[in-house]
Amino acid sequence: MTAAAPDRAAYWAAEAVPLTGPWGGVNMAWAAVDRHVAAGRGDRPALRWTGRDGATATLSYADLSEASGRFAALLRGLGVGKGNVVASLLPRRPVLYAAALGALRAGCVHAPLFAAFGPEPLRLRLTLAGARAVVTTSALWARKAPASLPDPFDALLVDGEGWEDRLAALEPAPCVSTGPDDPALLHFTSGTTGAPKGALHGHGAIVAQHATARDALGLRAGDVFWCTADPGWVTGTVYGLLAPLAVGATLVADEGDFDPARWYALLERERVSVWYTTPTAIRMLMRAGLDLPRRHDLSALRHVASVGEPLNAEAVTWGEAAFGRPIHDTWWQTETGAIMLATPPGQPVVPGTLGFPVPGIEADVLAQAGEAGELVLRPPWPSMFQGYLHDEAHSRACFTDDGWYRSGDLARRDPDGRFRFVGRADDMIKTSGHLVGPFEVESVLLEHPAVAEAAVIGRPDPVAGEVVEAFVALKAGVVGDDALARDLVAHARRRLGPALAPRAIAFADSLPHTRSGKILRRLLKARELGLPEGDTSTLQDGGR
Ligand code: ATP
Ligand code: MG
């Protein structure tokens, strides 16, 4: 059953109460940090950080409150205040957390950017955002500063001459009195299907972010939580910073790159209880084998969840072997601001399903029962986006005539109410009258013991409309030859039938991913067809 609108409104109103500041409004930084300090929990660990060189640091809630307060005071001194956009272009270091919270505390809009962006993607985003300042390091800014910038604009170099002294001389500023609709976050979407769009969220989003960390991820005060998402991506802000702090958990932050051995060691050493990662990372861990996790004591781990891309059934069951528990899928988007669908902790996981709407959310599929159709959500909810920046037309196009928010993803509903992800509406392949989602074909290819990762596209074909073509990365030590390609096609035909099975298999060392860990199918397709590559600013280094 889905809740009626008045019930949902009452639900969210009640959820907002503990996060509301003494001035009667909500501010993300207050809800995430200051309210714990005010309640006498300031000495609890908020952030445990491990640096690239193995250095570590622990910041308590009180430390974070003070550091973000000084940063907010610095902004204020520069005349940067309520409604101004403050971008961050920083490696994953403690200063990033203080800067993000400081901007929110000052009433500014926090706009995180991937530290790996070059000058052009930076110029594009800073200009679109009309950013008033960027917080960055000397080295990053020396390499990446775009030639043209908004005016006025300040580049705040956190390792610059006199920075520490300047901050130390300031009295920490309290939270600005913001309300739920005051803009707080500006996130650019992953650019998986086209040019990235800037999605705006108000301070009130923290209410849904807090509730979903509790209900969808099972987070409790005192938990040790690790979210592997890059802080330049919405998951990095919402579940890598705001929501777990709002719940009162301890964040684990790792500056280093993906490395299976180090990751398992970190899970063990930090005694991580809830872990949130991506299908790409899980597939890479699968590629590294089961010996590694078995050599570590992962007994503190209570819940493992994934987001960003379809989680193949193979990955869910592998989780049972590696962690002693299945991996729970969660579905949401930059626009939704928080998890919308999940199998809650403690409930049985049905591999290949996304789970149910979280409490307070009404979701549906615009199709006949059991058929695939667009996944839609019923507004409002607290973390619903306020629109795409400077793009009224796109913002409006996100809603049906009767007011549902359109996700642009296709889904299907099981008789028990669970949602299944079918594909992105714009990724679907039409072959000989059949509609094929790449995910379905990729999941079948992943069942084959030789396959580490697969990406499927539709190649235009005069007869079939499109034919299914697969790019496959193999497990270590496996050689991609004609015999294996034939074997893979035969396997897919057995499982999917000849209409849906790929006609051609191309082997690749690796597949192109976005920095948020999504396979860039549109890029594979453009390259295959010799078309322009389009916007590749979010492409992960080394993606070919
Ligand atoms: P853009 O909108 O710029 O094309 P994007 O949609 O990839 O990029 P995000 O907002 O980061 O940008 O990603 C949200 C999308 O990611 C969803 O719409 C969906 O397609 C996909 N996604 C998220 N979680 C899941 C999941 N659990 N299973 C399948 N797909 C998912
Ligand atoms: Mg999208």
Side-chain angles (χ1 to χ4, degrees):
M1 280 303 290
T2 47
D7 294 347
R8 280 188 287 120
Y11 174 82
W12 289 119
E15 283 292 322
V17 172
L19 303 184
T20 301
W23 65 92
V26 58
N27 179 290
M28 286 182 161
W30 191 87
V33 175
D34 288 31
R35 77 183 187 102
H36 299 300
V37 179
R41 301 189 290 265
D43 55 353
R44 296 207 183 158
L47 176 67
R48 286 217 300 257
W49 172 81
T50 303
R52 233 172 238 292
D53 55 3
T56 58
T58 301
L59 272 76
S60 67
Y61 276 87
D63 293 338
L64 257 188
S65 173
E66 188 184 319
S68 60
R70 290 190 202 282
F71 186 74
L74 182 100
L75 289 174
R76 196 166 65 189
L78 292 167
V80 183
K82 210 163 172 175
N84 290 153
V85 175
V86 177
S88 68
L89 180 76
L90 287 167
R92 201 177 322 205
R93 300 203 188 126
V95 64
L96 169 82
Y97 299 79
L101 290 163
L104 291 166
R105 176 186 276 280
C108 302
V109 179
H110 167 58
L113 300 168
F114 283 115
F117 277 151
E120 182 49 26
L122 284 178
R123 187 199 59 76
L124 194 79
R125 288 166 177 80
L126 291 170
T127 312
L128 184 68
R132 178 61 184 74
V134 67
V135 195
T136 185
T137 66
S138 317
L140 280 172
W141 200 240
R143 272 192 291 131
K144 293 159 187 265
S148 88
L149 287 163
D151 181 27
F153 186 83
D154 283 297
L156 308 175
L157 305 178
V158 298
D159 53 356
E161 177 93 27
W163 172 263
E164 293 291 340
D165 297 341
R166 203 169 148 199
L167 279 179
L170 293 165
E171 206 43 54
C175 276
V176 163
S177 314
T178 48
D181 297 329
D182 285 323
L185 304 175
L186 174 63
H187 281 103
F188 294 93
T189 60
S190 291
T192 311
T193 49
K197 306 167 283 257
L200 262 178
H201 285 94
H203 279 276
I206 191 80
V207 175
Q209 295 164 349
H210 168 261
T212 51
R214 178 194 64 210
D215 299 333
L217 301 177
L219 261 188
R220 298 286 179 269
D223 269 333
V224 179
F225 178 67
W226 183 20
C227 167
T228 62
D230 190 292
W233 178 38
V234 69
T235 308
T237 307
V238 175
Y239 297 102
L241 166 64
L242 297 171
L245 292 180
V247 166
T250 301
L251 289 172
V252 167
D254 172 41
E255 190 190 359
D257 300 320
F258 175 82
D259 174 342
R262 226 172 41 76
W263 275 28
Y264 287 118
L266 200 74
L267 284 169
E268 175 175 355
R269 190 183 72 231
E270 297 291 345
R271 298 209 53 76
V272 172
S273 45
V274 180
W275 195 40
Y276 199 27
T277 189
T278 60
T280 302
I282 293 163
R283 284 190 295 262
M284 275 154 55
L285 291 179
M286 288 168 76
R287 207 173 183 174
L290 274 172
D291 284 352
L292 265 174
R294 287 186 176 147
R295 263 188 260 138
H296 289 276
D297 171 10
L298 304 177
S299 58
L301 210 50
R302 195 179 71 228
H303 190 67
V304 182
S306 160
V307 67
E309 267 207 316
L311 184 66
N312 314 82
E314 293 299 303
V316 175
T317 31
W318 177 84
E320 288 178 6
F323 308 116
R325 59 202 67 251
I327 299 168
H328 288 233
D329 205 354
T330 67
W331 178 94
W332 61 293
Q333 311 179 299
T334 308
E335 292 86 343
T336 68
I339 296 171
M340 297 283 111
L341 302 174
T343 307
Q347 287 208 29
V349 171
V350 175
T353 68
L354 298 167
F356 307 96
V358 298
I361 294 300
E362 185 185 347
D364 207 346
V365 172
L366 295 185
Q368 303 290 322
E371 303 273 297
E374 186 160 8
L375 170 56
V376 293
L377 300 157
R378 190 83 217 170
W381 64 92
S383 62
M384 150 97 181
F385 79 134
Q386 300 178 324
Y388 299 119
L389 198 64
H390 310 316
D391 198 346
E392 192 59 31
H394 265 113
S395 308
R396 255 200 319 272
C398 290
F399 297 90
T400 67
D401 289 344
D402 53 354
W404 287 90
Y405 166 74
R406 310 172 52 156
S407 69
D409 285 352
L410 300 185
R412 184 181 294 142
R413 233 170 155 176
D414 283 5
D416 65 359
R418 283 175 207 264
F419 287 74
R420 281 177 191 267
F421 180 82
V422 172
R424 292 168 170 266
D426 38 20
D427 261 356
M428 299 300 286
I429 302 164
K430 285 199 195 75
T431 182
S432 312
H434 300 278
L435 202 57
V436 185
F439 170 49
E440 195 179 358
V441 182
E442 290 159 9
S443 291
V444 162
L445 289 170
L446 270 186
E447 294 168 1
H448 193 285
V451 176
E453 193 159 47
V456 162
I457 62 162
R459 165 193 273 283
D461 179 87
V463 180
E466 282 184 300
V467 292
V468 178
E469 201 165 305
F471 294 81
V472 169
L474 297 169
K475 290 204 179 126
V478 182
V479 180
D481 55 15
D482 287 350
L484 180 57
R486 279 196 300 275
D487 194 39
L488 285 172
V489 171
H491 165 74
R493 284 177 155 253
R494 263 194 314 277
R495 296 280 286 110
L496 296 163
L500 274 58
R503 293 279 176 86
I505 304 270
F507 295 113
D509 292 342
S510 65
L511 301 176
H513 290 97
T514 65
R515 291 184 193 284
S516 54
K518 299 158 191 274
I519 299 175
L520 263 171
R521 296 181 189 82
R522 76 171 157 85
L523 184 60
L524 283 169
K525 184 163 175 172
R527 287 175 179 175
E528 189 65 10
L529 303 182
L531 299 171
E533 294 196 349
D535 190 306
T536 53
S537 56
T538 59
L539 181 67
Q540 183 94 48
D541 291 338
R544 270 157 302 158

